[in-house]
Amino acid sequence: MLSLRHEPMDDFFFGQTTTDYDHLELTLNDSYLPHFISEDDNAIRQGIDWFKERITRDQYRDQRNKDYESYLSCKSGDDDYSIENRIQAQETKNVTTNEEYYTFKSSKLDEKCSIGHFQLRNLLWATNKNNIYYVCGDTVRQWSPQRKKSTQVIDLATANRPGSVSLKITSMACAHGILFAGGFKGECVWKVVQDTSNISNQFNTTNESRSIGITNYTDIVKDKAGVTLGIVSNNDATIKCINLETAQIEQKFSLPFAANCSSLSPDSRMLCLVGDSTETLIVDADNGKSVVSINEHHDFSFACCWNPDGRTFATGNQDRTTRVYDIRNTSKAMYVLGSNVGAIRSLHYSHDGQYLAAAEPIDFVHLYETKHYESSQVIDMFGDIAGVSFTPEDQSLYIANANDKLG
């Protein structure tokens, strides 16, 4: 797990002398790396001693980029190059990549993060600077950077007592004091974070007319009346809003495709929906009626989010782009932002709306300034990205790395 801080690195060095941190004796096996390590020192950031490797970091980066094959759902076969050709022909915005909005703070290499399904990468939530929730196998754990320790919050690996349930975790959210997780067969479980019991509530959202009902994405929101809802984007082509107090479905919207992600607008009036389609749908959050349909992507989408400004929203697709739209005119994307090697599988605006984090499946997280999307910071690491999360005050950004050795 990687932590970055939204402050100038000079602040960390102020008042420090060499002897102040010489005694730390950092080695390859140190699991906690202090925040005053230089961001340029990639060897220390992930515990890789490149002087002992047979190739340089740049050589390994070039080879890894060349070897990675980006998955496309709409490709009909190995000999079908039509989608790749359309993707190559996309015009993406020229964005500078050398900004430093966030500086490297620490790596927690022994906090093992997991991915339940290779296309679903929203498995990390930072509810505040000292409570970071992440998926480890089929458990959810909470890490406290301040105390430098982690604890298990919920265990879904085995049903080991009456009323308990086991499931393979595919999605997870934590907000408003509630932890919510979804599974491969449409299961949903949730609990109050402070509750010491394993599970408070469980619910199966699967439509039995479908053989696969994976819970692709979960979110926790407050509706207009202040009721806490769990919004479930499901592979059975539905969006379900579950009242987490009564465990009842308040609303259910049917879609023409499997729902992979959803995002409620800041005013709670509209839902942005993406899934197993090139389309993006904006629907009325009260009745599910279509507000607008957009069809500019070339493959399936697995990420979407609203800017806190309530006017713009972003979608992430397997065509290796992030597209930013203005709800006042959705005829064409305002910005088309390209990736380095793969799909955009996780998208999150900072809470103040100044930055957009776009995560690829491996190695790269892009941080865009959102005034004109002309500049960015590209976080370059090694590993499968399980999720990204800003803290509520936007001072820190966390990245979950599912690589067994470099997490």
Side-chain angles (χ1 to χ4, degrees):
M1 191 182 301
L2 209 64
S3 170
L4 295 96
R5 190 177 180 88
H6 186 41
E7 285 185 8
M9 183 58 76
D10 289 344
D11 290 354
F12 296 131
F13 284 102
F14 183 78
Q16 298 279 0
T17 65
T18 302
T19 54
D20 285 334
Y21 51 84
D22 268 352
H23 71 279
L24 292 168
E25 299 178 351
L26 296 177
T27 67
L28 179 64
N29 295 322
D30 276 1
S31 62
Y32 186 80
L33 306 179
H35 59 248
F36 45 74
I37 297 301
S38 167
E39 181 176 1
D40 293 330
D41 194 346
N42 290 292
I44 292 182
R45 188 192 299 186
Q46 288 192 267
I48 307 171
D49 187 349
W50 291 103
F51 292 105
K52 295 181 180 179
E53 301 296 332
R54 290 175 293 177
I55 60 174
T56 66
R57 186 186 195 279
D58 289 342
Q59 289 173 327
Y60 182 58
R61 163 56 62 220
D62 290 342
Q63 189 61 49
R64 190 167 166 89
N65 288 0
K66 291 176 184 177
D67 290 344
Y68 184 76
E69 294 185 13
S70 185
Y71 183 81
L72 294 172
S73 298
C74 293
K75 188 174 180 178
S76 61
D78 292 340
D79 296 329
D80 178 13
Y81 297 102
S82 58
I83 297 176
E84 280 101 331
N85 292 337
R86 290 198 296 271
I87 290 173
Q88 292 297 328
Q90 294 179 116
E91 292 187 11
T92 57
K93 184 175 177 60
N94 186 21
V95 180
T96 61
T97 60
N98 58 352
E99 299 295 333
E100 192 177 76
Y101 307 127
Y102 285 77
T103 53
F104 172 64
K105 181 181 179 184
S106 64
S107 290
K108 192 74 170 74
L109 302 181
D110 61 356
E111 294 299 325
K112 302 304 180 185
C113 306
S114 301
I115 296 169
H117 187 287
F118 79 100
Q119 292 173 308
L120 308 177
R121 306 295 186 95
N122 289 285
L123 301 169
L124 175 73
W125 290 78
T127 57
N128 57 53
K129 63 182 180 180
N130 287 317
N131 288 284
I132 318 302
Y133 296 86
Y134 62 97
V135 173
C136 177
D138 290 318
T139 70
V140 178
R141 300 184 65 83
Q142 177 265 337
W143 177 44
S144 169
Q146 186 179 51
R147 294 183 290 121
K148 302 179 186 178
K149 65 180 293 186
S150 66
T151 55
Q152 181 174 283
V153 181
I154 191 169
D155 181 4
L156 299 172
T158 56
N160 52 15
R161 57 178 139 177
S164 64
V165 64
S166 64
L167 60 87
K168 186 172 181 61
I169 299 175
T170 56
S171 56
M172 186 267 288
C174 191
H176 304 294
I178 295 176
L179 175 67
F180 191 96
F184 252 94
K185 297 181 180 180
E187 313 99 325
C188 291
V189 300
W190 64 96
K191 63 171 287 184
V192 175
V193 172
Q194 299 301 322
D195 189 343
T196 56
S197 63
N198 192 45
I199 299 173
S200 298
N201 293 278
Q202 55 185 292
F203 195 93
N204 194 309
T205 67
T206 303
N207 182 336
E208 294 182 359
S209 66
R210 298 265 181 148
S211 60
I212 299 176
I214 301 173
T215 305
N216 291 322
Y217 184 79
T218 56
D219 198 5
I220 302 172
V221 302
K222 293 282 189 179
D223 69 6
K224 296 174 186 177
V227 176
T228 305
L229 301 178
I231 301 182
V232 178
S233 303
N234 201 271
N235 223 52
D236 67 0
T238 64
I239 299 290
K240 304 177 185 72
C241 300
I242 304 172
N243 185 320
L244 299 185
E245 298 173 10
T246 64
Q248 299 297 312
I249 294 180
E250 300 261 322
Q251 292 173 304
K252 178 179 176 180
F253 305 142
S254 296
L255 306 179
F257 49 76
N260 294 331
C261 190
S262 60
S263 179
L264 184 68
S265 62
D267 62 5
S268 301
R269 294 182 177 181
M270 293 177 287
L271 272 171
C272 177
L273 309 174
V274 298
D276 284 3
S277 172
T278 57
E279 286 186 272
T280 298
L281 301 181
I282 303 296
V283 304
D284 188 304
D286 290 329
N287 54 35
K289 291 183 179 180
S290 177
V291 175
V292 67
S293 174
I294 306 166
N295 198 347
E296 289 192 312
H297 279 298
H298 301 291
D299 205 82
F300 294 174
S301 296
F302 284 83
C304 63
C305 61
W306 283 90
N307 189 318
D309 66 11
R311 294 185 294 104
T312 55
F313 59 93
T315 59
N317 191 274
Q318 291 184 157
D319 66 10
R320 301 198 286 276
T321 66
T322 298
R323 294 176 189 256
V324 180
Y325 294 91
D326 190 317
I327 190 61
R328 297 169 297 182
N329 181 3
T330 58
S331 59
K332 185 178 181 180
M334 297 170 61
Y335 307 106
V336 180
L337 312 169
S339 70
N340 285 5
V341 296
I344 299 300
R345 298 211 178 276
S346 185
L347 282 174
H348 294 277
Y349 278 100
S350 59
H351 296 80
D352 61 11
Q354 291 189 39
Y355 303 103
L356 172 64
E360 301 188 37
I362 66 165
D363 297 4
F364 299 105
V365 177
H366 305 259
L367 295 177
Y368 299 100
E369 57 80 17
T370 59
K371 188 174 183 180
H372 300 294
Y373 294 86
E374 293 178 344
S375 59
S376 70
Q377 175 182 0
V378 179
I379 299 164
D380 180 343
M381 51 180 275
F382 295 111
D384 292 283
I385 298 169
V388 296
S389 183
F390 291 98
T391 52
E393 79 291 344
D394 296 320
Q395 287 300 303
S396 296
L397 171 71
Y398 286 88
I399 304 171
N401 185 351
N403 185 287
D404 288 339
K405 297 181 179 179
L406 304 174

